[in-house]
Amino acid sequence: MLPEIEKLLVLQDRDQRIRTLKTELKNAPLERKDLETRLAATAAGAESAKAKLRELEVEKKRLEVEAQGKRDQINRFKTQQMQTRKNEEFQALGNEIAHFEKEISKIEDRELEVMELMEAAKPALAEADRKAAESKSRVASQIADLEAKIATIGEALKTAEAERDALTVGIDEDLLDQYNRLFASKGGNAVVALEHEVCTGCHMKLTTQTLVRVRGAQEITHCEQCGRILYWTV
Ligand SMILES: [Zn+2]
């Protein structure tokens, strides 16, 4: 194998590592956002369970006030009854009182229903709270792991980039330039093996002339289809 090819393969291996690390770094904020979204969803679940219970509490209070208003009214009617001497008026007040008592009874039925709904809502709220707390602590630890991972990747990237610079020393400038352009345009595979007369970069069959040149290992040879640099391993 040409010494330049050997150097380029080591360089390419490092460049592929750098590429992977950069992708991981780029994806880390997305992972974080995903975790935060899940956390927000469970918090919203607990919030909605709480809101439901609050609504019921408000309704219960409203019903209590409404019933009390009617009871007060009944008391006023009763006072009026005691004060009146007219039989008809006494009778009419009696009817009003009966009507209000019926309404109070309806309100009290609804109050009971609301109280039952409140009792039923409490376990759901407790469950939603439990889930939200669990999710919060789990996501917090996942985010901490992610931060640690980002720091580790950052360090590995720095090391790999420093190594990369050292690995380019001694490589012909034009060849390095060709390699860099191919690495960027060919999905991180600039130097590829020749296998069974086929370029492993583009999977096209190579001409006999190219095969001979690659096997001869006397000069840098490119795939005539994709332009990648070829090498041959026995
Ligand atoms: Zn090719």
Side-chain angles (χ1 to χ4, degrees):
M1 196 186 285
L2 279 170
E4 289 97 321
I5 295 279
E6 277 179 32
K7 280 185 179 173
L8 285 180
L9 281 173
V10 177
L11 179 63
Q12 177 166 269
D13 183 65
R14 199 53 37 98
D15 277 339
Q16 284 170 348
R17 179 160 166 70
I18 289 171
R19 201 180 154 98
T20 306
L21 292 169
K22 280 184 174 168
T23 306
E24 285 177 27
L25 268 190
K26 212 174 104 188
N27 290 339
L30 296 176
E31 271 180 64
R32 197 197 162 105
K33 200 164 173 64
D34 186 48
L35 289 171
E36 283 166 349
T37 306
R38 267 187 280 164
L39 180 61
T42 47
E47 211 33 67
S48 111
K50 237 177 255 170
K52 209 179 218 173
L53 193 58
R54 260 200 307 270
E55 266 172 42
L56 290 168
E57 277 163 3
V58 168
E59 187 176 1
K60 184 170 172 273
K61 189 80 207 153
R62 187 184 61 76
L63 290 166
E64 280 168 4
V65 170
E66 199 183 340
Q68 192 52 49
K70 297 204 186 291
R71 277 185 214 105
D72 292 346
Q73 187 59 47
I74 287 174
N75 286 336
R76 282 195 290 275
F77 286 147
K78 284 184 174 165
T79 310
Q80 282 174 267
Q81 266 187 329
M82 279 190 282
Q83 286 162 350
T84 187
R85 293 188 178 174
K86 292 177 195 157
N87 211 14
E88 263 173 39
E89 203 181 333
F90 188 90
Q91 198 66 44
L93 286 164
N95 289 343
E96 288 291 344
I97 290 169
H99 171 71
F100 272 68
E101 276 171 348
K102 217 182 260 176
E103 296 220 318
I104 289 172
S105 159
K106 269 189 219 158
I107 293 169
E108 283 171 348
D109 286 349
R110 178 64 194 147
E111 263 186 83
L112 274 179
E113 270 175 42
V114 168
M115 278 156 76
E116 275 167 22
L117 287 173
M118 282 169 72
E119 280 312 302
K122 277 175 188 166
L125 174 60
E127 175 65 10
D129 269 343
R130 192 188 61 73
K131 270 193 190 160
E134 191 189 274
S135 164
K136 196 173 173 182
S137 84
R138 193 180 54 235
V139 169
S141 106
Q142 283 171 323
I143 286 177
D145 287 350
L146 191 61
E147 301 286 1
K149 191 175 127 189
I150 291 169
T152 308
I153 295 171
E155 282 306 310
L157 187 59
K158 247 190 246 167
T159 308
E161 278 173 340
E163 284 168 355
R164 195 233 179 237
D165 285 345
L167 290 172
T168 59
V169 174
I171 300 176
D172 174 74
E173 229 172 85
D174 286 342
L175 179 60
L176 187 60
D177 195 43
Q178 275 177 25
Y179 160 84
N180 285 336
R181 269 184 281 133
L182 284 167
F183 187 87
S185 65
K186 303 291 177 194
N189 280 307
V191 188
V192 297
L194 161 69
E195 267 174 28
H196 309 296
E197 304 185 355
V198 163
C199 160
T200 54
C202 66
H203 306 290
M204 297 297 281
K205 200 170 188 310
L206 297 157
T207 61
T208 311
Q209 196 193 2
T210 306
L211 290 175
V212 170
R213 284 175 65 198
V214 177
R215 284 176 186 154
Q218 294 301 309
E219 57 189 328
I220 295 292
T221 309
H222 296 264
C223 167
E224 65 260 29
Q225 299 291 337
C226 68
R228 289 184 176 92
I229 299 165
L230 292 164
Y231 68 93
W232 189 56
T233 47
V234 193

